[in-house]
Every structure is written in C-alpha cells, then in structure tokens.
Amino acid sequence: MTTPTAPTDSPSRTEIAGLEVADLARRFGTPTFVYDAATILQRLADLSAFDHVRYAQKAASNLALLDLVRRHGALVDAVSAAEIRRALAAGYTAEGTPPPVVYTADIFDAEALDLCVEKNVHVNCGSSDMIDQLGRRAPGRRITLRINPGFGHGHSQKTNTGGKQAKHGIWHDQIADCLARAARFQLEVSGLHVHIGSGTDLDHLSRVCGALENAAVEVGPSVTSVSVGGGLPTVYRQGEQYVDLAAYYELCDAMRKRLQAGFGHPVSLEIEPGRYLVAESGYLIAEIRAIKQQDDNTFYLLDAGFNNLARPILYGAYHPMSVVPSDGDLSRPEQEVIVGGPLCESGDIFTQEEGGFVVSRRLPVARVGELLVIECAGAYSFVMGSNYNSKPLGAEVLILQGRAHLIRRRQTFEDLVRGESIPEL
Ligand code: LLP
C-alpha cells in the first residue's frame, strides 16, 4: 500500500490532466467542475489492501463517478433514498455478498425505509429506532450496527461524528439493548461499523480499531464484517499530512485477525472513504469577472461562489488556487489577493478561515476575463452546491483517458423554476 506524497503549490496552470483549461472553459462554460478519473482510480488503488472499499458517495455522487468506481471494484454507501437510487442507476445491484449498497443513517424517512425493504438493501443502523422500524417491516434480515464509540475527531468540529455531542451512531454502551431489539424481529447483527469524523488523523483513526473490537466481542460470533468508516484526510495545503496507509491497515488487519481467532471464522475488513477518493481529482474552473481595489485590498471576483463551493464559508476550508494566464506566461509577478464570488452576501469569499475571517492569498497578477482554478474540489463541493441567488448549478465534466466528457449539463432557468407555480386568484 502506498501513501501519496503532497502536491506542490502551483499558483499558475494551463492544463488539467493534460487538457487545456482554456479549451475546457470554451467548451463547457464556467463555472464548471472537472474530475480527473485517473486520480480517483489511483486513490482507489492506494486502498487495495482492504478487503472492500465502500465509496461514501455523499462526497461526489454524479452517476458517472459512481459508475467509474463500480467498474473498478468499489462498493457504495448511501445515506438517503436518492443515494440508493443513484447507486442502482449507476449499475450497482441492490443485493449481494458483500452488500453492494449499504444504507447508513440515523433515521429512515418513509421513502428510504420502503426502498430498503422492497429492494432488500442492506441497512447499517445508527439508532435503535431504525432496528425496530426495519424489524417490523422486514423481520429475519441481516443488519449491521453503526456504533458511536464515545469519541470523535474531524477537520472541523462540524465534521466530528463521535462523542456525546454527535447525533450519529448507537452509543457504545447500548449494544445489549440493540441486540435484544434485533432478536425480537429475528434480525441478525452480522457486522459493526464505526466512523468518527471526516478529515481526521492516524492517532484518532487508530482508536477506531479498539472501539470496533470491543463492540464486536460484545455482539459475538454473528459478526462477519467490520467497517472502519471513512475519514482519511486529503492534503489541501503544504504542511498537512496523509495518513500512513500501511500503518493504518496493519492496525485494522491486526484487529480483524484477533476477531477471527476469537470467533473461529473469517471477518471481512471494509473502509468507507469519500474525500480520500475524490477530493484531489476535482477542479472548479471559474472566470475572473471583476478586479477591485478596496483600500489596500485587491479582490478577484469570480463567476463561482459559495453556491458552487461552500467549504470555505462553512468550515474556513483552504483550497489551492491557480490562475490560468491567457498569454501562457507562467512566471507573472504575484500579489496578495482576496478571492470572492458573485453572491449578494459578504461571506461569499473563498479565502477565509474558520469564523469568517477574510485572508489573502498570493496569486499571479491577472486580468478580467482570465480563468482561475480552485483545486482539490472533488469532495463535498458540487454536491453541497445550491441555487442561492437563483444561480444555476454548474456543469460537471469527467476526464477519462485524455478525453473530456460532460457528465452533468449546467442547469438552466427552466430547471430552476421547475415545480414552482403561481396560485390562480
Ligand atoms: N462514512 C460515514 C458514515 C460518513 O458520515 C462519512 C462522512 C464518510 C463515511 C466519508 O467520510 P470521508 O472519508 O469523506 O471523510 N462536508 C464536509 C464533510 C462531511 C462528511 C460527512 N460524513 C466537508 O466538506 O469537509
């Protein structure tokens, strides 16, 4: 297993995956998300030591991306009825061993429960109510339990999914009660799952193994699978670190082997990454539409805003950026700039830290009409977009073997108002 090395900062670029950014912008318009399939497949291959890699599609759920990872052996996680439908539309079958699609959530809405029951989609229960609700409708099934181990960690407090402040998972001391509920409906608890947060580190991830082991020992030999969840970080800026994948795998595998020895049967080991697989593959291409001087601050204002990429306004997240010089000059002088979007809200700034503090970034001198690329924008980017200010969602493009494919067309005004109506008076 290989751990990737950190990318270097490149404030100018002319290509994405070998294709000219200017050509991509001409062909697909801006703002447009571009994903490089080769990067996704490399990240998937990094994790090949695990028995199963289950893609957390909440990170980027375009059908073409689901189809890509499916064809390369990844299973898929779904957290809503529509994510189950996406998985099926992308060619996953609902049933199989291991389950191709797993519904992991803390609640069922009516549609998700109907789908899981009718299509026999495997359910990973994050609350005891889910056990009762599924049991009443589909007794005799196998289920897994998502455990909240009492601790968690993420790149932001908003992405920490463990501990008593978190709504996620079944609290670790309530396993006996859950087993009793499951038994009432002849549900068999065949596996355990722990996900402590998104964008965490090896120290915290390694504690997941101990938590899973304790829970599995309590449930007993009905357990045939354990999932260590997602959470693997991506390097967004220099100085951040990837997790040592070989070291992490060793910890997980040792835990699995102890369980196997205790139970006397094989236990499969699953990992459930979202960000790790897709973050670095994604680029948001935008156009600089205005350059403003506000006292001593220079602003580059783009045609993309937090309606396209909400991570900076939500978490103060840092994304690398590069200017695409229209004259091909990669050695332009640099200046400190603040990069913002078009929305009527002062928080619409890509260069901000958690708490909303605006900061500047060193970027090449640019002109209105030139392109700017926001990088590492494959995960939790397009999918968290909105129609705020009645802005249409941008296009999505996949670069596959040197060719760019439109995988989602830009929304139109008609898309925006579809379903709306004016009451007749
Ligand atoms: N499994 C479960 C049960 C999860 O809740 C999540 C993420 C994952 C797997 C995948 O985690 P990953 O490998 O991507 O860290 N919007 C935030 C991230 C929210 C993550 C939610 N759950 C962001 O932009 O950073």
Side-chain angles (χ1 to χ4, degrees):
M1 254 191 350
T2 40
T3 300
T5 48
T8 50
D9 259 351
S10 62
S12 303
R13 72 158 58 237
T14 54
E15 293 184 353
I16 294 173
L19 299 185
E20 292 284 330
V21 183
D23 287 346
L24 292 165
R26 251 190 306 276
R27 184 164 159 211
F28 302 107
T30 56
T32 287
F33 281 93
V34 175
Y35 306 90
D36 173 19
T39 305
I40 298 174
L41 297 182
Q42 182 54 57
R43 290 291 167 269
L44 190 54
D46 294 345
L47 300 174
S48 57
F50 287 85
D51 297 339
H52 308 295
V53 179
R54 185 174 297 283
Y55 174 47
Q57 64 167 294
K58 73 199 86 184
S61 55
N62 186 292
L63 295 179
L65 300 179
L66 299 185
D67 172 67
L68 177 76
V69 298
R70 180 186 60 75
R71 282 187 289 104
H72 289 83
L75 309 171
V76 73
D77 163 66
V79 299
S80 65
E83 282 197 355
I84 295 174
R85 290 187 195 279
R86 279 185 176 279
L88 301 179
Y92 282 97
T93 52
E95 298 177 49
T97 310
V101 185
V102 167
Y103 176 77
T104 292
D106 300 288
I107 67 142
F108 285 117
D109 59 25
E111 190 187 0
L113 181 56
D114 286 349
L115 262 176
C116 289
V117 170
E118 284 158 21
K119 306 262 186 211
N120 205 8
V121 170
H122 182 92
V123 177
N124 183 28
C125 298
S127 63
S128 51
D129 289 304
M130 286 180 70
I131 301 175
D132 295 343
Q133 289 160 10
L134 183 71
R136 269 184 230 116
R137 292 276 302 275
R141 287 266 186 100
R142 290 181 151 186
I143 57 169
T144 45
L145 303 182
R146 175 183 179 176
I147 304 300
N148 180 331
F151 62 88
H153 182 252
H155 68 81
S156 152
Q157 195 43 37
K158 293 172 191 148
T159 67
N160 175 346
T161 57
K164 68 177 185 180
Q165 306 275 46
K167 62 178 178 163
H168 298 289
I170 291 167
W171 193 250
H172 55 97
D173 70 0
Q174 294 167 13
I175 293 176
D177 170 61
C178 289
L179 291 176
R181 286 171 191 252
R184 222 171 285 151
F185 303 104
Q186 297 85 48
L187 298 173
E188 185 188 18
V189 178
S190 63
L192 290 156
H193 169 283
V194 170
H195 171 80
I196 56 161
S198 194
T200 181
D201 55 35
L202 186 57
D203 273 3
H204 290 88
L205 284 171
S206 46
R207 294 174 59 195
V208 166
C209 296
L212 265 175
E213 188 171 354
N214 292 341
V217 166
E218 185 169 352
V219 172
S222 65
V223 171
T224 56
S225 72
V226 284
S227 170
V228 293
L232 288 177
T234 292
V235 170
Y236 288 94
R237 67 201 295 179
Q238 283 183 327
E240 291 177 345
Q241 288 198 331
Y242 292 101
V243 158
D244 178 342
L245 292 176
Y248 184 42
Y249 175 75
E250 284 310 316
L251 288 170
C252 299
D253 187 43
M255 173 268 295
R256 171 261 290 280
K257 285 188 173 133
R258 287 193 296 276
L259 290 176
Q260 289 185 158
F263 295 153
H265 60 64
V267 173
S268 72
L269 176 61
E270 201 166 292
I271 188 165
E272 193 175 73
R275 184 189 317 274
Y276 186 79
L277 294 188
V278 293
E280 291 151 294
S281 77
Y283 302 80
L284 172 57
I285 306 178
E287 185 179 324
I288 301 172
R289 297 297 302 165
I291 297 180
K292 277 188 173 182
Q293 197 64 37
Q294 314 275 55
D295 197 13
D296 55 353
N297 283 334
T298 307
F299 285 76
Y300 289 175
L301 297 187
L302 314 179
D303 59 1
F306 73 70
N307 54 312
N308 301 105
L309 176 65
R311 301 192 70 255
I313 193 173
L314 282 176
Y315 318 113
Y318 179 101
H319 284 263
M321 291 178 198
S322 45
V323 165
V324 184
S326 49
D327 53 7
D329 177 6
L330 296 175
S331 57
R332 286 192 190 167
E334 293 178 3
Q335 59 180 346
E336 292 289 328
V337 295
I338 297 168
V339 182
L343 303 178
C344 283
E345 181 153 336
S346 34
D348 186 25
I349 295 291
F350 289 115
T351 48
Q352 63 177 295
E353 293 179 343
E354 193 145 24
F357 299 102
V358 171
V359 291
S360 62
R361 184 79 61 91
R362 265 198 102 62
L363 285 175
V365 170
R367 289 189 279 278
V368 169
E370 290 191 310
L371 301 168
L372 186 143
V373 180
I374 304 184
E375 308 186 357
C376 268
Y380 307 108
S381 299
F382 180 89
V383 286
M384 293 177 75
S386 75
N387 290 131
Y388 187 44
N389 283 195
S390 289
K391 291 281 186 185
L393 295 176
E396 291 184 289
V397 168
L398 179 65
I399 301 182
L400 206 53
Q401 289 157 2
R403 287 187 51 211
H405 304 265
L406 183 65
I407 57 171
R408 183 184 170 112
R409 66 164 173 73
R410 182 177 312 286
Q411 279 187 325
T412 60
F413 173 72
E414 286 67 34
D415 292 329
L416 290 183
V417 295
R418 182 166 299 130
E420 295 183 26
S421 53
I422 300 173
E424 280 183 34
L425 296 176

